[in-house]
Amino acid sequence: MKPRPARTYDYSRAVPGVDYSFDKLGETDHRGYMTAQRSGVKVGDYILLAPAGVIKKYRIQQLDYYSSPHDMWIAFLSKVDK
């Protein structure tokens, strides 16, 4: 069975602090931790965020699902240059 191709999840219109949280590491937003709720998200998938109205693309490097609710997760993201 082939691994599925990477998917892109668009959070660019989602409300930070309500629909998801993103905590950057360091002074820039090149890397950080995101917590959100959506099933099917996997390592290697992409996330689109739009802090300050500018869409930025991130790749999921690490991912852990919470036990309750089962579709809530925390991921380590790194920014991808388009």
Side-chain angles (χ1 to χ4, degrees), residues 46-68:
Y46 296 95
I47 302 286
L48 299 178
L49 298 176
V54 177
I55 295 177
K56 297 182 181 186
K57 187 175 185 178
Y58 294 87
R59 185 169 187 145
I60 298 173
Q61 302 295 329
Q62 296 176 341
L63 178 75
D64 287 311
Y65 275 91
Y66 289 86
S67 60
S68 181

Side-chain angles (χ1 to χ4, degrees), residues 24-72:
K24 64 183 180 177
L25 292 176
E27 298 296 318
T28 68
D29 61 356
H30 295 310
R31 297 180 306 147
Y33 287 95
M34 179 178 175
T35 302
Q37 202 167 348
R38 177 179 273 170
S39 59
V41 177
K42 307 259 186 217
V43 169
D45 286 345
Y46 296 95
I47 302 286
L48 299 178
L49 298 176
V54 177
I55 295 177
K56 297 182 181 186
K57 187 175 185 178
Y58 294 87
R59 185 169 187 145
I60 298 173
Q61 302 295 329
Q62 296 176 341
L63 178 75
D64 287 311
Y65 275 91
Y66 289 86
S67 60
S68 181
H70 69 280
D71 60 348
M72 182 171 266

